[in-house]
Amino acid sequence: MFDKPAYNRVMKAMLSIRFSEQKTICKITTLFGLMSAVLWVACANGKNGTYSAEPVKSTTGDSMAQSDKPVAATSRDETPLSPTPDMALEAASASGELRFDFTEHIALAHLRSSGLLMDFGHESRNKYTIGDWKTGWRGNYLKDGVTYSLLESAAARVFFFLDENEAGDGRLVIRARGIGQKSKGRLYLNGSGLGPVEFGPEFSHVTVEIKGLLKPGNNELLLRPGNGAKASDGKFARLAVDYIRVIPAGTDESQAASAATAVLDGDEGGASKAIRLRGGDRLTWYVAVPEAAFLRASVRSTGQGRESDVAVGLYKNGTLRSELFTGKVDHRGTDMDASLSVCADDICALDIQVNSGEVLFERLQMREPMTEVSSASGKRSAQNVVLVLIDTLRADKLSAYNRDSRVQTPFLDTLAKESMIFENAWAQENWTKPSITSLLSGLYSATHQNKSENNKVPSSVVMMQEHFSKLGFETAGFVANGYVSDKFGFKRGWDTWTNYVREGKRNRAEFVADDAVNWLRKRRDEKPFFLYIHTIDPHVPYIPPAKYRALYDNEPYNGVVTATETAKLLEKVKTGALKLTDRDKFRLEALYDGEISYHDDYLVKVYDELKAQGLLDNTVLIVTADHGEEFFEHGSVGHGHSLYEELLHVPLIIRLPGAAQGASGGARF
């Protein structure tokens, strides 16, 4: 039986996953929706049809004063969902699979409206400040109709990209106000001083002339504001910034947009949501283009009897690769359908520009022809859920994701053959605490706010185990990472709970697996259960038993890499205090690989116990990771420092209840 409310909740959380009772088509890009997906599989039918998932509560967790409110997200939650999965499949088949909706991702676009507009107080500014963490910037706020972000440190940077024709002379316009008083400070562009500036206690414009300092490519603006005070969110800040505009010489400023969201229009002519651009406006997105992708949109002028001049192009490395549409449109509009094949499997810039008039772009989307995918064996409902989180396991170490991997994981290889393998699963963060919070809550880090060293999960954020407990499940957590602990708000909703680090217990895989198996043998048979097993063996220190290390490095070694000291060693390498030879690097990665193989030999015990009790027929088993690990792919080691693939691409293997054991190959999505 199909449970429509449960389906809709999954759709909202996972964005791009569609389920069908007869056929499953899945394309997962992030793990933040795993919570809703698990609840759907486990609860849509549930035990005797009595369990049903409840909506996920969402909160920012911020402690703002009532006069300041976080900016409401313009998300796909506002978009009506297809009433049934079969209808969603039919719609996708008719026009191709949706790969990227440009209208829904206006925050990722670079808006040029009388110069480049960097709008603060909105998620669109994150691409210019590289987020909040250790950048000097804080939050997105709305007060008295103005959106702004706070500059809290003595210095903060803004990064922006300019074309060749935008380089040279120009002007910088900053709309901001000092916190509590006037703020006197200095500005620097690409290392050169622009002189002193002063911001009053109310929002006003400060304009600075630029002589020859704007350069093609990447630019860096450094702001050094003066003294600050307590802002209305109760924390110290120096400056509130509404927007920053970079205006090249000779630019017409007569119709400048004041906000990145100002180009969105939801009411014009029946458009559900559209992008409205005026003469001189330009939007640019940088996107990864799949093979065989095409662009589809409806384009029309807003005024009857008026024509507008429009140009849509695809650029690579600043060079025009394809003119997708060039010409005039009137109020009757035209449908645009253009191939993006010149940028297949590459990253390119989609650039739309209105040279005259006013234009609405409706349903501006990148799509790809529907492709046949594998079918996954097993039932789409479960009585029990087992979630195995392998800390610090990057996807390409498993042969299910990388056929050339040398790492021996016979159990995970076997499990993958009878499971769904999600090839494009990406962690929300590059370190444990915020990543696990997103995984267990279904919320982005910007929402749950548990993303720094001392934060904890806000009490208003409801996690997966709390949902299961409310639904009558017996819950148990066996966690080998000290961050996922009571100290940081994770010990809620568990009937049985163990954090090996906080309790001073041995936290190797063999001990965690033994405890999980013992719990399975003693649990209450009459209740469904949720079992969370969080192991940590691939994390530093890399100390595999000798026989597992020997699988990957059995040669004599007397270098600086000592297994028990690998945590300190990685920090020295990151800071440049220590440089490793090629032999050292080989040894280091061999220790990591050995930990993965060691872990595999003990994880199988949990599977064997589920099989022995006959639970594999009514239990969904999930294996994933919170993040990966770098081994010099981009000049560093460990995790927590970058957003490259080796840190964010993680395995996601889901075995459905009753899946064929020992199958010849897993279904890939």
Side-chain angles (χ1 to χ4, degrees), residues 209-225:
E209 297 295 329
I210 300 172
K211 297 296 183 182
L213 295 178
L214 296 173
K215 62 181 185 179
N218 292 317
N219 290 259
E220 177 186 301
L221 175 66
L222 173 65
L223 296 87
R224 290 189 175 276

Side-chain angles (χ1 to χ4, degrees), residues 307-354:
E307 287 190 329
S308 300
D309 188 17
V310 179
V312 181
L314 196 63
Y315 290 77
K316 181 178 178 181
N317 297 328
T319 302
L320 179 64
R321 297 296 302 274
S322 177
E323 289 185 345
L324 305 177
F325 180 87
T326 303
K328 296 185 181 297
V329 296
D330 58 22
H331 69 281
R332 294 170 296 181
T334 183
D335 291 330
M336 183 169 56
D337 202 336
S339 171
L340 304 178
S341 60
V342 294
C343 277
D345 294 324
D346 209 339
I347 295 177
C348 286
L350 178 74
D351 188 271
I352 62 176
Q353 185 166 350
V354 174

